[in-house]
Structure formats: C-alpha cells, structure tokens
Amino acid sequence: ELRPGLHGRFPRDVKDFLHTASMDKHRIYVGRLPTRLDSRDVEDGFRKFGKISRVDMKLGFCFVVFEDERDANDAVKEMNNRDFHGSHILVENSRPPRCTLLCPPLTACDPSDRHLG
C-alpha cells in the first residue's frame, strides 16, 4: 500500500506519473513507423492537427501528446492506416499507462482511487 511521505504529500515522481496518466486523452499511439524516422519527422507530420506537447519515440513506434483531446482524436481519424514516409501506419488512442508502483499488477491506474490521496 502506498502511503504519503512526510507532511502527508506524495513524492514528486508520483505526482508526475499521475499528471501523465491524466493526459492519456491527449496521447495517441503511432505504430508501424519506419525505423529511420525521428521525433521531428513525426511532429512535422502530425502538427497540422494541433499543438503537440511531446513526442516519445521508440523503435518503430511512438506516442504523440497533443495539448487538446480533439486534436488527438482528429489525428487518429485522419492518419490511421495512411501512408507515412512509405509505411501504412497504425494510429489509435493510447491506453492508460500501467501503474506498477501504485496499483496491483495488470490494472490501470486510476488517479481518483482513494489510496492515492
């Protein structure tokens, strides 16, 4: 069970995690990316949908975080299964991150849970 630290507050990394989890409505998954692409290529291709907060690149996929949920939804509708730099990409709304520190295994973290404060 997670308990607040000194003065009844959670550590900063826990607050950062909860903030990230709350932004999932704005985060999309982009898969089947050519491995030669970098975050600038992705940002250039997706900025027409709205202001991008962050692009988290991995090998062959990434997460794009928009400032507005509607922009993220527009990007999913418009870009899914489209040709992007020679590859038909998969674009979908991101699932909530798994919370290994705060929640039991195999469950998504819900910031409104009473054990999180």
Side-chain angles (χ1 to χ4, degrees):
E1 177 181 331
L2 179 71
R3 294 174 191 230
L6 214 50
H7 308 295
R9 287 182 254 154
F10 288 100
R12 180 161 179 72
D13 56 343
V14 172
K15 289 181 182 179
D16 290 344
F17 177 85
L18 294 175
H19 175 71
T20 300
S22 71
M23 290 183 60
D24 280 343
K25 291 184 262 185
H26 310 139
R27 189 173 78 152
I28 63 172
Y29 167 83
V30 182
R32 299 187 207 138
L33 287 173
T35 55
R36 69 182 182 280
L37 297 184
D38 62 24
S39 60
R40 283 175 291 184
D41 297 318
V42 173
E43 192 166 342
D44 289 346
F46 281 81
R47 80 164 48 109
K48 64 184 173 186
F49 299 103
K51 190 162 183 177
I52 295 173
S53 301
R54 187 175 74 244
V55 176
D56 297 325
M57 288 296 298
K58 309 296 181 193
L59 187 60
F61 71 96
C62 73
F63 295 97
V64 179
V65 180
F66 286 91
E67 288 191 5
D68 188 284
E69 180 181 2
R70 292 169 295 193
D71 298 336
N73 291 333
D74 290 345
V76 169
K77 289 176 195 165
E78 201 62 36
M79 295 296 287
N80 187 40
N81 205 31
R82 296 289 171 119
D83 181 78
F84 188 71
H85 292 267
S87 179
H88 280 81
I89 59 174
L90 172 67
V91 182
E92 57 189 30
N93 289 306
S94 177
R95 297 182 188 130
R98 297 289 179 196
C99 178
T100 57
L101 292 175
L102 305 177
C103 303
L106 302 176
T107 64
C109 186
D110 181 359
S112 66
D113 282 352
R114 63 191 156 125
H115 71 278
L116 297 178

